[in-house]
Amino acid sequence: MAEMQNPAGRIRELRRIIERAADLYYNQDAPEMSDFEYDRLFEELKQLEQEFPEYDDPASPTHHVGGKPSEKFDKVTHPVKMGSLSDVFSEEEMRAFLDRTIHALTDGGVDPDEIFWSVEPKIDGLSVSLTYEKGKLTLGATRGDGIVGENVTENLMTVAGIPHTLPDPVDLTVRGEVYMPKEVFAALNEEKERAGERLFANPRNAAAGSLRRLDAEETAAARLDIFVFNYQTGSLWTDGHAPATHEETIRRIGELGFHRIAVERVTRDPDEVIDAIRKIGEKRDGLSYDIDGAVVKLNSLEQRALAGENPSTPKWAAAYKYPPERKETKLLAIEANVGRTGVLTPLAILEPVRLAGTTVSRATLHNIDIIRERDLRIGDTVLVQKAGDIIPEIVGSVREKRTGAEIPYSFPETCPSCGERLFWDSEEGDSGALRCQNPACPAQLERGLTHFASRGAMNIDGLGPSLVKALIDAGLIRDAADLFSLSRDEIAALPRMGEKSADNLIAALDRSKTAGPARLLYALGIRHVGEVGAEELIAAFRSVDALFDASEEDLSAIQDVGEITARCVREFFDLPETRALFDKLKAAGVVTSLPESSEKSAGTEGREVSSSVLAGKTFVLTGTLPTMTRPEATELIKQHGGKATGSVSKKTDYVVAGADAGSKLTKANELGIPVIGEEELLAMLKGD
């Protein structure tokens, strides 16, 4: 790896990006990053932590897999850890993995002519385990964090390919990937679009969202399927016979009635392994299900035991991740769309091209920097990819195919939505961005209300982009507060709506009124105020109303609120439209303040505290504590009025350090911040 000027900073940045992406992917089923890009960043973080071990941290995403178990389901501890696989991104890396494993086995006395590999597709789905007792399905669980998952037995019983009773009364646990067929995914998204709901990003997240429904009938309606690819523990035969190879295991899993993974090839020739990977990739687009790679495993189970395990991945298997498919097409035009904060975002209009199983005709260009850096011109032949089967993007122009008729793009001078003059905002992006400042701009209203209703904000179920647009077009809403005065008859009269849909939306609007002031503040879409920032502001001021009188100095004194954010908050609350909006929201019964009956700590809206002994104190935890997990210690701090944050700064009062503390401890020492252990923290909780 090339020499890096600030490895600690890059490691912190990568952990933050990866943790957010993992949360969106595993826990919220709403990815914003392609699998390919996530895997690349993950590998970069692993290499940096190996090169700079002084910055390692047990809480790093490289030390755990998957997501956290949901609070909606009972917890399940897996009898065998459900780990992940090491990823490789090129044929050279795969050959290096094969050579490394072969050498390790031969050094251990294994005959090289007896080392065989199996190659199979890597299904892009949700990993689950299935446990049978005397041939009857007794437990089905999601992977979760690899050690603890969620009990979703009832939902898994609706999945095709999972037998409820096996033909033989065996005791065993198997592992597989639940997926949604492409055809079912396309139909589901068409239905969601008609209903004005948010679309699923890809079949994997559609499957995850459907499997984790509280109502098993909703899971059944999703028509999920499974491919089983491994047995975890127990016996595949009633006589206790243990299989010797992966190939034998897969054959027996099929005999027991499971839908099983299709092994492409078993071979001892590394060249044939690479050939099998290529062949799986060639037929990828024609499959009825999504794959994101090919898995190469030692076929012998005995050799797997000899090869051993890394802390989070086996040494006997690797996943080859296919690079995003790329195709050429024409850039027909570039449109400028107005976002919810008024920033104009360019959108490429493409000659339709079939890519990664779907037809692509549009691609977001994000900002003017991308157009300049990639030298994109209207009329260009461009390379398009759909990274991770999620987000279409233009890689660059094919300059050798230019004819001279291509036209450089220029941003408009007036807003394409409202016609008002645009201004250049130097705070947006590396080179700034054009912004419309008109608060009555229709495009900003549509996107702002969609954000207002989103899951992380007011969580108004069923109020998606299509329905927001329909409400605006019908003249029923002009701001967020108007949502709460909608009548049942007004909603039912809209296209593709009816009385039942209207009742559901009215109920969702009523529930959202008690979402709390932090969610409300985030829902308003103030520039630079995210979910965490909104929680910090409400923790400090206890109500949205108090922010009308807060100065920039008061705001910027809060943890994680900088000068730019403070200025944006102040500007927002200085607008006369903001005061009018809040008067309407309060009149509609929307909660804008925390209850006065109990103290709340940062980020813990609605939590009763047992004491205020740590009030006003900010803690950062690092390393492994002797008797508590860090989440448990964080909860204790919050229950006693303190605040726990993830990064060390001058505003940190104490760093609580355990064994193997990493860069946070180093930074605390550099800044002269007191460092204590678990024992001192517990003493502080007692008031000592």
Side-chain angles (χ1 to χ4, degrees), residues 375-421:
D375 190 22
L376 303 178
R377 304 179 187 183
I378 297 169
D380 262 341
T381 297
V382 293
L383 270 177
V384 184
Q385 70 181 22
K386 198 177 180 190
D389 297 337
I390 301 177
I391 307 166
E393 61 180 354
I394 295 178
V395 179
S397 59
V398 185
R399 300 182 188 181
E400 57 268 25
K401 292 192 175 183
R402 282 182 176 163
T403 64
E406 293 79 14
I407 304 170
Y409 176 71
S410 298
F411 264 108
E413 295 183 355
T414 58
C415 176
S417 178
C418 67
E420 289 290 321
R421 190 166 186 83

Side-chain angles (χ1 to χ4, degrees), residues 336-571:
N337 288 340
V338 185
R340 65 179 175 84
T341 62
V343 172
L344 267 68
T345 302
L347 178 72
I349 308 301
L350 305 169
E351 192 173 275
V353 60
R354 189 76 177 171
L355 191 64
T358 61
T359 300
V360 173
S361 59
R362 294 169 176 247
T364 300
L365 294 170
H366 300 290
N367 54 51
I368 197 169
D369 292 330
I370 289 179
I371 297 174
R372 290 170 176 164
E373 290 166 4
R374 300 176 188 177
D375 190 22
L376 303 178
R377 304 179 187 183
I378 297 169
D380 262 341
T381 297
V382 293
L383 270 177
V384 184
Q385 70 181 22
K386 198 177 180 190
D389 297 337
I390 301 177
I391 307 166
E393 61 180 354
I394 295 178
V395 179
S397 59
V398 185
R399 300 182 188 181
E400 57 268 25
K401 292 192 175 183
R402 282 182 176 163
T403 64
E406 293 79 14
I407 304 170
Y409 176 71
S410 298
F411 264 108
E413 295 183 355
T414 58
C415 176
S417 178
C418 67
E420 289 290 321
R421 190 166 186 83
L422 302 170
F423 85 100
W424 197 258
D425 187 346
S426 60
E427 291 179 4
E428 290 287 342
D430 296 333
S431 302
L434 283 173
R435 181 186 295 278
C436 172
Q437 285 187 297
N438 178 14
C441 177
Q444 292 183 60
L445 175 62
E446 183 179 331
R447 288 170 177 80
L449 289 176
T450 300
H451 170 74
F452 184 86
S454 65
R455 184 185 302 181
M458 298 298 280
N459 194 23
I460 306 173
D461 191 33
L463 186 57
S466 299
L467 183 53
V468 167
K469 187 177 187 305
L471 290 166
I472 293 172
D473 291 345
L476 296 176
I477 53 175
R478 286 172 292 184
D479 59 34
D482 287 340
L483 290 168
F484 300 99
S485 62
L486 290 170
S487 71
R488 181 175 183 267
D489 292 341
E490 287 173 333
I491 299 169
L494 293 172
R496 295 189 296 274
M497 297 295 284
E499 292 182 357
K500 184 176 180 181
S501 297
D503 288 339
N504 290 339
L505 181 59
I506 292 293
L509 286 164
D510 284 340
R511 288 194 301 271
S512 74
K513 291 179 182 180
T514 58
R519 279 177 171 264
L520 175 61
L521 186 60
Y522 170 64
L524 293 169
I526 305 169
R527 289 171 59 204
H528 301 297
V529 177
E531 293 181 64
V532 174
E535 289 180 345
E536 295 283 355
L537 287 164
I538 293 301
F541 290 91
R542 300 194 51 77
S543 75
V544 181
D545 311 66
L547 295 172
F548 281 98
D549 300 320
S551 67
E552 279 190 40
E553 291 75 16
D554 295 335
L555 295 165
S556 60
I558 299 171
Q559 178 90 15
D560 298 330
V561 177
E563 293 181 4
I564 293 176
T565 302
R567 182 165 68 252
C568 290
V569 173
R570 186 65 268 140
E571 288 173 353

Side-chain angles (χ1 to χ4, degrees), residues 630-644:
R630 284 197 283 182
E632 289 170 343
T634 297
E635 184 67 19
L636 276 175
I637 289 169
K638 291 179 178 180
Q639 286 178 357
H640 288 77
K643 181 164 62 174

